Amino acid sequence: MYRYSNGQISLSDFQQPMGMRLREDNRWVKKAQSIPWDKIEEKYADLFPSETGNVAKPLQLALGACLIQREYGYSDVETVLQIQENPYLQYFCGYAGYDDSKLPFDASSMVHFRKRLTPEVLAQINEMVIQEAQKTEDSDNQDDNKPDGGGNSGTIIVDATCAPSNIRYPQDVSLLNEARENAEKLLDILHSPTDGKKPRTYRKRARKDYLKYVRCRKHTAKMTRKAIGKQLNYLKRDLAAIDGKLNQEKALNIHQTERLETIRKIYEQQKYMYDNHTHSVENRIVSVSQPFVRPIVRGKVGKPVEFGMKLDISVTDGWTRLEYRSFDAYNEATKLQEMIENFHKREGHYPSRVLADKIYRNRENLSYCKARGIRLSGPALGRPKKGEDRNKAQDYRDECERVEVERKFSLGKRKCGMGLVTAKLEETAAHVVALSILLLNLRKIQCAFLQFLDWLLGLLQSREKRMVIQ
């Protein structure tokens, strides 16, 4: 069951204690006024079709709490306390007046907020925020951006990056040791005192062998292979003992069953790599607690491999959109045509140029863009032709403008929570990334407002100087 909020009230209607006076130019006040809460409420209410049950928290409180957490990197408990203590944050979250007598909600509700605000819902909210902000722009500028006679117009900048998850750097020995310890805990749960003697697991010896390996400063290939073989044997014995208990009609809950399936998959993958003397396997699991995370090979200096979600974003007129996301490694060049078609659905025409990295310039994308009159930045494929005269000034301008997407990545990772995703579930990790994109656009609106204030202040100061001179 869902109950609509009263919508965003003006700051003058916000009930304040005697002596408190909130500022109109505060950033949280401006952010609250730049978000179309009423339109978003209609989308959010569809998630609660039932007319019975407990009343869900309003969208403005749920989304506002998530945005505050991403902005400052607070924990769930700290986010609730900050909302209770700060009147500006309460105004942003849709309060009718300042109230610090009780907590706005329990900290555990943040988990439900992240699950309900899926990346699809956040993408719709992000598009509403962008459209609302574009309406406030100068109509002359909007007319200039429209194509004449149905031709192409506009620029789209695309690129891909990785949002790393908060996991320990994976090593085969440590991963097998963690899987073995989890298997031993599951065996302890399945065993009862009435079953007689507990199956032997050699857990003390296995722990001793693991510590002997990790405490050695230099690991040779022979030592590593020997340690992996020992942990595989210990894990194989534990899994066999668990199967024996399950055959005796013992049962595990859903969470424990999923953890057991993850352990089995880890054993199969590590056994395959051990027997075949290889270091790669399809859909390799690198974390017991987050089995959906995959290694993303990027080839960057210092970080050739990252572990987390890979995502494609597009930047148009400074507005950022999350185009595609996946925990599995993929070739970002295969998503270019889909991003261009999304641009066509939004604007009603194709862009005049696409600024992208060299990896996007394959034959399929070049022929696709050529057929639609789109210029894809970058040099031609193959060796340069004799006598070919490229426009180096144009290439330099394209490369300078393409840097804007790199700034978005930098800001998103440093200030919007995309640099290290601490969410433990697959759906909540996807929520964090999608919310970071929304926060990037809200920051753009805030910066535009601050620039307008600076311009207005400079204009007033120049007028005062002229009046003094006269």
Side-chain angles (χ1 to χ4, degrees):
M1 184 176 179
Y2 183 74
R3 181 179 299 166
Y4 286 89
S5 64
N6 297 325
Q8 183 59 59
I9 62 177
S10 62
L11 191 60
S12 58
D13 296 331
F14 186 74
Q15 300 175 10
Q16 307 173 36
M18 184 68 66
M20 178 182 291
R21 186 175 181 84
L22 302 184
R23 294 171 57 89
E24 279 282 356
D25 58 350
N26 181 268
R27 53 178 173 169
W28 290 107
V29 174
K30 293 303 177 182
K31 281 184 180 180
Q33 296 172 355
S34 64
I35 300 177
W37 296 110
D38 295 337
K39 297 180 181 179
I40 300 174
E41 288 269 6
E42 298 177 2
K43 295 287 184 181
Y44 188 72
D46 295 338
L47 300 177
F48 306 92
S50 177
E51 296 295 332
T52 60
N54 294 331
V55 179
K57 298 295 182 182
L59 177 276
Q60 190 165 355
L61 178 59
L63 180 58
C66 292
L67 288 172
I68 293 168
Q69 185 181 43
R70 286 300 100 206
E71 179 78 22
Y72 296 112
Y74 292 148
S75 63
D76 292 348
V77 176
E78 185 65 22
T79 301
V80 177
L81 293 176
Q82 289 291 337
I83 295 175
Q84 181 191 17
E85 299 166 358
N86 194 319
Y88 286 110
L89 298 184
Q90 291 189 9
Y91 177 80
F92 180 74
C93 292
Y95 275 54
Y98 179 61
D99 181 16
D100 63 346
S101 60
K102 61 180 181 179
L103 294 175
F105 51 85
D106 190 78
S108 61
S109 299
M110 291 292 296
V111 181
H112 302 290
F113 295 163
R114 288 191 286 267
K115 288 183 178 181
R116 291 169 184 168
L117 294 171
T118 62
E120 290 74 22
V121 174
L122 290 175
Q124 295 177 359
I125 295 175
N126 186 49
E127 197 63 34
M128 293 178 188
V129 171
I130 294 175
Q131 292 176 0
E132 191 70 18
Q134 288 177 339
K135 289 180 181 179
T136 61
E137 292 180 353
D138 190 3
S139 59
D140 295 336
N141 296 334
Q142 291 181 351
D143 294 339
D144 294 339
N145 292 332
K146 293 182 179 180
D148 298 331
N152 297 352
S153 178
T155 301
I156 178 173
I157 311 173
V158 299
D159 203 356
T161 190
C162 178
S165 297
N166 186 25
I167 65 171
R168 179 180 58 189
Y169 190 87
Q171 293 179 339
D172 293 336
V173 180
S174 61
L175 182 64
L176 283 171
N177 177 72
E178 186 179 359
R180 175 188 59 79
E181 292 176 346
N182 279 263
E184 292 168 355
K185 292 179 181 178
L186 295 177
L187 186 58
D188 293 340
I189 294 173
L190 292 172
H191 180 76
S192 61
T194 58
D195 295 340
K197 190 176 181 180
K198 184 184 295 186
R200 181 174 293 181
T201 59
Y202 297 99
R203 62 182 69 189
K204 291 184 179 180
R205 185 183 299 179
R207 177 65 177 174
K208 185 177 180 180
D209 291 339
Y210 171 70
L211 293 178
K212 181 181 178 181
Y213 171 79
V214 297
R215 287 173 179 173
C216 183
R217 294 192 176 185
K218 295 184 179 180
H219 298 149
T220 63
K222 185 176 180 180
M223 291 173 55
T224 302
R225 180 171 175 81
K226 184 178 180 180
I228 292 174
K230 287 184 177 181
Q231 295 298 323
L232 282 172
N233 291 331
Y234 292 133
L235 183 56
K236 180 180 179 181
R237 173 183 283 271
D238 294 340
L239 291 175
I242 292 175
D243 291 337
K245 293 293 183 180
L246 293 177
N247 292 333
Q248 298 176 6
E249 297 183 354
K250 298 292 182 67
L252 298 170
N253 58 34
I254 297 177
H255 176 72
Q256 294 166 350
T257 302
E258 293 177 353
R259 180 57 58 88
L260 179 59
E261 293 300 322
T262 301
I263 295 173
R264 293 186 191 276
K265 188 66 175 178
I266 291 175
Y267 173 78
E268 293 174 0
Q269 293 180 351
Q270 294 293 330
K271 182 65 174 174
Y272 171 82
M273 292 189 291
Y274 181 82
D275 294 339
N276 294 274
H277 296 270
T278 182
H279 297 286
S280 62
V281 66
E282 188 177 1
N283 296 324
R284 183 173 181 175
I285 297 177
V286 295
S287 174
V288 176
S289 60
Q290 302 182 51
F292 52 87
V293 176
R294 297 287 180 268
I296 307 297
V297 180
R298 301 187 63 221
K300 301 293 184 180
V301 177
K303 288 186 178 180
V305 181
E306 291 184 303
F307 306 91
M309 177 185 290
K310 189 174 183 180
L311 59 136
D312 271 280
I313 71 169
S314 66
V315 180
T316 305
D317 296 331
W319 303 107
T320 309
R321 294 177 175 88
L322 179 62
E323 299 286 354
Y324 187 78
R325 55 179 176 81
S326 176
F327 280 100
D328 296 324
Y330 64 91
N331 185 359
E332 53 263 37
T334 59
K335 306 302 176 183
L336 180 63
Q337 299 180 20
E338 181 180 348
M339 289 187 281
I340 295 176
E341 291 298 331
N342 291 338
F343 180 92
H344 183 268
K345 292 179 182 178
R346 293 192 305 265
E347 306 294 337
H349 58 86
Y350 287 106
S352 60
R353 60 174 182 164
V354 175
L355 306 183
D357 205 354
K358 290 183 179 180
I359 193 172
Y360 291 90
R361 291 183 58 81
N362 55 29
R363 298 189 184 279
E364 291 77 11
N365 291 338
L366 286 172
S367 60
Y368 171 86
C369 293
K370 184 178 180 181
R372 289 158 180 79
I374 304 172
R375 182 174 65 82
L376 184 57
S377 65
L381 296 179
R383 297 178 62 182
K385 296 181 180 179
K386 188 176 181 180
E388 182 181 10
D389 186 17
R390 288 193 55 81
N391 191 343
K392 295 183 179 180
Q394 176 180 279
D395 294 343
Y396 178 76
R397 288 194 300 269
D398 291 344
E399 189 62 27
C400 291
E401 294 181 26
R402 198 191 69 81
V403 174
E404 183 177 5
V405 72
E406 302 292 348
R407 290 196 294 266
K408 297 293 184 182
F409 285 145
S410 177
L411 184 60
K413 291 186 176 183
R414 288 187 296 107
K415 294 294 185 180
C416 302
M418 203 163 59
L420 187 64
V421 179
T422 57
K424 301 299 182 182
L425 302 178
E426 185 174 3
E427 57 267 31
T428 54
H431 158 89
V432 170
V433 174
L435 192 67
S436 300
I437 301 300
L438 174 59
L439 193 56
L440 281 174
N441 291 323
L442 292 178
R443 278 178 167 267
K444 180 181 183 301
I445 297 174
Q446 178 184 347
C447 291
F449 173 75
L450 293 177
Q451 290 175 359
F452 172 76
L453 288 182
D454 292 340
W455 172 82
L456 184 61
L457 181 61
L459 181 62
L460 294 176
Q461 290 177 350
S462 62
R463 287 184 177 179
E464 291 179 356
K465 291 180 180 179
R466 287 199 299 268
M467 293 176 62
V468 171
I469 293 174
Q470 292 176 356

